[in-house]
Amino acid sequence: SRDMSTLPLQEFFKPLITYLTAENTKNDEFIGWDINWKPPETPPQVQESLKSAAFDLEARANVSKFDWTNFDPDVMRQLQKIYYIGSSALEGDDLIEYENILADMEQIYSTAKVCESESICIPLDPDLTRLMATSRDYDELKWAWEGWRRETGPEMKDMYENFVTLANKAAKVNDQPDMGAYWRSWYEVDDLKADSMRLWEQLRPFYEQLHAYVRGRLSEHYGESLVDPKRPIPAHLLGNMWAQSWGNILDLVLPYPGKTSIDVTPALVDQGYDALRMFNISEEFFTSLGLIPSPQSFWDDTMFVKPTDGRDVVCHASAWDFYNAKDIRIKMCTSINMEDLITIHHEMGHTQYFLQYKDQPVVYRRGANPGFHEAVGDLLALSVSTPDHLHQIGLLDTVEDDAEADINFLMSMALDKIAFLPFGLLMDLWRWDVFEGLTTKDSYTEAWWKLRNDIQGVEAPVERSDEAGHFDPGAKYHIPGNTPYIRYFISHVLQFQMHRSLCETAGNTRSLHQCDIYRSKEAGKKLGDMLKLGSSKKWPEALEAITGSREMDASAIVDYFKPLMTWLEEKNEEKGYVVGWSDTGITMKPTT
Ligand SMILES: CC(=O)N[C@@H](CC(=O)O)C(=O)NC[C@H](CC1(C(=O)N[C@@H](Cc2ccc(O)cc2)C(=O)O)CCCC1)C(=O)O
Ligand SMILES: [Zn+2]
């Protein structure tokens, strides 16, 4: 044997040194030590969430001390809303991991950019959004569509799986089997999924007519080799990154091109509108109904436009209630166009609800159900969008009141409102299945495209698969943002129901799609009284206060679009446009 003292130490441990060096390199371990190093700060938004969760937990513990069975029903309702606290029920490391995953996914989404070259990389808002809205170049659109999905989904995929596990853990503490069930419980109905599918079955025939006509016109524009007149529509040609609203391709499908345009974007630009002036248009409409004016703090603290100081902000528009009965704000990167004028009304619908229920107990400062909160702004925008109203506020110089102009207007409305319905439904059909465990990580994208094919009749322009690491749901804000989505589908039914009733209240004698409740104090009073309820009563009571009915009912949206549907059935027949899309499963088009 050899005397160890003569064997250099390094020689003796060489195999171990080699191994450790390789392991440390592989695991990206920091070699040495830095006495100034501190653990990464928990991001501020995570810290705030932890504080608010601690408050929720304490409040839940307090109400748990009582046996509420014989309490006054209203007190029981309030206690129940204090007791069920969603993700705040997670404790310790689980809660920190949950909040960090959300912060990480939001960071990925809000900073994602698609690079044209080494030095030019463009963000979603406003660049890719504008490209998807205005480009008519099949391959340029495909580049943006595929690039956005490459820069967002894949990096989130594993995070999302962990997020789902934690979310379901929280749901169980809230006496729900999974987070999807917890979300649906806010609607206080036996089977929200069945109710939604029933509404969709009533509306699907109208969607199929619109889909057939739009596909026919796109096929003529891009050629049958790119747009097969029988297959689902390629998802990148519909004027929107998610094909969820098709208003931006009105020019490609306009029924009667000769009539005066109803797109007021040029007028907004020509008349030198800025964001503030667009917000004032909306403010003036709300106050014309006798609704509550926005407080000075709103005008002082709202973020109206994307900051130019390079700060990374979440540009996705949002409205915020500070629950102190006075501070309310909107954050929006406003562009000067019609779409954002409508979005402003949507956001101010939220802030009006905040103002109206500010004297309710905090637990009642919510929508009657989440769909109500989403319906308020859109409801008023139905009046603002009419050609007559746009003419009245100087954004349309001439209005033609004839059958063809009517069809053009209804088409522009249908491209947003009817086109949205399947997307508004499928987002949470996908997510409810994920929370329920019916869709697992290895089929996230496959399940997504099956729904996109079957329900929306759109398909990816390029191969999409889980095996390739895709996670296309992650490319839509509300998935990493963890904002439930069925509320928008419900809102699209409710807003027309409410519109039909408020138009009657306002004494409208014209067709429903021409109704404008502007300056009707009676309509405003009815709406305001419903909004004041917040979530203090079950939503059928709130709906009854406006419409006299306690049921969600798709007949109003059908009434509104009736003239267009008749026209589409005739036109599709006349032009030989096929209605529906062949049962394609998830077979993808061969990549061109
Ligand atoms: C603190 C907080 O989170 N506040 C909530 C409000 C609250 O709960 O109090 C909030 O501000 N949420 C943001 C979200 C923004 C928008 C959105 O996401 N819209 C959907 C769907 C859609 C489609 C057509 C349509 O006509 C209306 C909506 C999409 O863009 O896919 C983007 C532009 C419009 C609305 C919103 O306002 O709902
Ligand atoms: Zn909203």
Side-chain angles (χ1 to χ4, degrees):
S1 74
R2 297 170 53 176
D3 173 346
M4 235 176 69
S5 65
T6 63
L7 186 67
L9 201 59
Q10 289 83 341
E11 268 311 298
F12 182 84
F13 285 103
K14 189 162 180 55
L16 180 63
I17 302 289
T18 310
Y19 168 76
L20 288 176
T21 310
E23 277 299 293
N24 287 333
T25 309
K26 181 168 73 101
N27 300 330
D28 194 21
E29 296 296 346
F30 182 75
I31 309 295
W33 49 90
D34 165 359
I35 50 171
N36 303 317
W37 184 83
K38 285 197 297 299
E41 270 288 287
T42 332
Q45 94 190 71
V46 175
Q47 285 175 14
E48 289 313 306
S49 304
L50 298 180
K51 274 189 230 163
S52 119
F55 173 81
D56 292 343
L57 268 174
E58 184 192 346
R60 173 184 162 95
N62 291 339
V63 301
S64 306
K65 292 171 187 154
F66 305 97
D67 167 9
W68 330 324
T69 29
N70 299 318
F71 277 28
D72 163 83
D74 182 59
V75 171
M76 276 175 71
R77 186 172 176 79
Q78 291 190 48
L79 293 176
Q80 181 202 36
K81 288 178 181 297
I82 295 171
Y83 183 75
Y84 290 124
I85 56 175
S87 56
S88 300
L90 287 171
E91 298 210 15
D93 293 349
D94 279 348
L95 182 61
I96 291 176
E97 187 188 353
Y98 177 89
E99 293 297 347
N100 276 316
I101 292 174
L102 283 176
D104 292 347
M105 292 197 292
E106 178 152 272
Q107 174 72 11
I108 292 165
Y109 188 90
S110 61
T111 58
K113 290 182 171 61
V114 179
C115 298
E116 298 168 7
S117 66
E118 271 302 299
S119 53
I120 305 174
C121 299
I122 60 176
L124 177 69
D125 198 320
D127 307 71
L128 291 172
T129 302
R130 188 185 305 119
L131 187 152
M132 294 304 291
T134 56
S135 169
R136 298 293 180 254
D137 175 322
Y138 185 93
D139 289 319
E140 181 183 46
L141 287 163
K142 190 168 81 171
W143 168 83
W145 187 93
E146 189 172 14
W148 178 250
R149 279 155 185 78
R150 181 180 60 247
E151 298 305 326
T152 48
E155 205 183 335
M156 295 178 195
K157 190 172 172 177
D158 293 340
M159 295 178 192
Y160 198 74
E161 184 185 41
N162 297 335
F163 162 76
V164 168
T165 306
L166 290 165
N168 283 338
K169 197 169 178 181
K172 289 188 175 58
V173 180
N174 288 280
D175 303 334
Q176 294 292 341
D178 63 69
M179 188 48 88
Y182 179 74
W183 286 358
R184 292 192 299 274
S185 70
W186 297 329
Y187 292 81
E188 298 174 287
V189 293
D190 294 341
D191 188 341
L192 182 69
K193 183 171 176 177
D195 295 352
S196 303
M197 295 311 284
R198 191 168 39 255
L199 289 167
W200 170 238
E201 283 316 314
Q202 282 178 264
L203 296 164
R204 189 162 121 115
F206 299 117
Y207 177 76
E208 287 178 347
Q209 290 298 327
L210 178 70
H211 176 280
Y213 184 76
V214 169
R215 177 177 52 193
R217 294 291 299 269
L218 287 177
S219 188
E220 287 160 7
H221 179 82
Y222 285 103
E224 292 205 0
S225 65
L226 294 180
V227 181
D228 182 316
K230 293 189 179 58
R231 286 183 64 85
I233 302 173
H236 66 311
L237 301 179
L238 290 156
N240 174 277
M241 183 59 88
W242 308 280
Q244 71 180 69
S245 64
W246 304 350
N248 292 314
I249 58 161
L250 174 65
D251 58 307
L252 293 184
V253 301
L254 196 64
Y256 301 101
K259 313 301 285 183
T260 50
S261 162
I262 40 180
D263 174 12
V264 297
T265 300
L268 286 166
V269 174
D270 294 349
Q271 295 180 32
Y273 268 77
D274 61 4
L276 189 58
R277 201 168 152 205
M278 288 163 72
F279 271 76
N280 276 314
I281 293 261
S282 177
E283 172 76 6
E284 198 277 329
F285 192 94
F286 278 84
T287 51
S288 83
L289 300 179
L291 294 171
I292 301 170
S294 306
Q296 189 51 43
S297 63
F298 168 81
W299 299 106
D300 295 343
D301 301 330
T302 284
M303 186 189 97
F304 293 97
V305 291
K306 186 171 191 173
T308 50
D309 59 8
R311 257 183 303 148
D312 254 338
V313 295
V314 173
C315 263
H316 194 86
S318 58
W320 297 80
D321 186 356
F322 286 73
Y323 289 100
N324 59 6
K326 67 182 181 56
D327 282 330
I328 55 170
R329 293 179 202 173
I330 286 171
K331 174 170 57 64
M332 187 169 166
C333 304
T334 308
S335 298
I336 309 304
N337 61 42
M338 177 68 174
E339 191 172 3
D340 274 14
L341 181 62
I342 299 303
T343 297
I344 287 168
H345 284 79
H346 179 93
E347 296 310 326
M348 293 192 83
H350 288 307
T351 53
Q352 181 61 214
Y353 222 148
F354 300 154
L355 291 169
Q356 290 283 352
Y357 57 45
K358 68 178 175 51
D359 301 320
Q360 286 283 357
V362 168
V363 288
Y364 286 158
R365 294 187 205 168
R366 305 268 188 290
N369 73 41
F372 277 68
H373 229 297
E374 299 309 334
V376 183
D378 282 13
L379 162 65
L380 271 57
L382 289 176
S383 289
V384 171
S385 306
T386 58
D388 276 2
H389 189 85
L390 293 171
H391 175 64
Q392 206 175 338
I393 58 176
L395 287 173
L396 268 188
D397 42 24
T398 56
V399 179
E400 291 162 291
D401 188 3
D402 60 47
E404 291 185 354
D406 241 18
I407 291 297
N408 277 357
F409 168 65
L410 280 169
M411 177 61 83
S412 76
M413 293 303 287
L415 291 175
D416 283 335
K417 299 295 183 181
I418 300 287
F420 178 76
L421 294 169
F423 185 77
L425 176 65
L426 71 85
M427 276 279 283
D428 278 353
L429 288 183
W430 179 83
R431 230 174 343 190
W432 293 340
D433 279 357
V434 169
F435 283 132
E436 212 175 319
L438 303 174
T439 298
T440 53
K441 183 173 78 169
D442 53 17
S443 62
Y444 281 164
T445 289
E446 180 188 355
W448 173 257
W449 281 105
K450 178 145 182 36
L451 285 167
R452 291 268 268 174
N453 277 189
D454 294 352
I455 294 200
Q456 200 178 4
V458 300
E459 66 182 0
V462 291
E463 179 74 28
R464 309 305 295 167
S465 77
D466 292 289
E467 294 69 31
H470 299 152
F471 177 51
D472 288 351
K476 176 61 192 170
Y477 171 82
H478 298 68
I479 302 294
N482 193 40
T483 306
Y485 209 83
I486 197 69
R487 58 184 61 180
Y488 299 113
F489 175 78
I490 300 294
S491 155
H492 275 60
V493 174
L494 290 174
Q495 63 189 251
F496 285 92
Q497 252 181 286
M498 294 180 189
H499 187 55
R500 180 172 62 186
S501 298
L502 292 187
C503 286
E504 262 170 63
T505 307
N508 173 58
T509 54
R510 308 182 62 186
S511 316
L512 185 54
H513 66 272
Q514 294 169 321
C515 162
D516 175 6
I517 63 171
Y518 189 43
R519 296 192 177 125
S520 165
K521 296 291 186 288
E522 302 77 10
K525 169 92 172 70
K526 217 170 194 188
L527 178 60
D529 288 350
M530 183 278 282
L531 297 177
K532 282 183 179 59
L533 295 172
S535 60
S536 62
K537 303 291 181 200
K538 290 186 187 304
W539 64 263
E541 188 164 335
L543 186 61
E544 191 173 33
I546 291 210
T547 67
S549 154
R550 297 175 62 83
E551 310 258 319
M552 284 189 286
D553 151 21
S555 67
I557 194 169
V558 170
D559 290 351
Y560 181 99
F561 285 105
K562 196 90 197 97
L564 178 69
M565 290 310 144
T566 309
W567 185 87
L568 283 169
E569 281 160 354
E570 287 162 8
K571 212 67 185 170
N572 287 335
E573 184 74 30
E574 178 193 313
K575 293 228 170 180
Y577 290 159
V578 171
V579 177
W581 44 93
S582 52
D583 171 19
T584 57
I586 55 162
T587 46
M588 296 297 158
K589 278 168 76 75
T591 42
T592 46

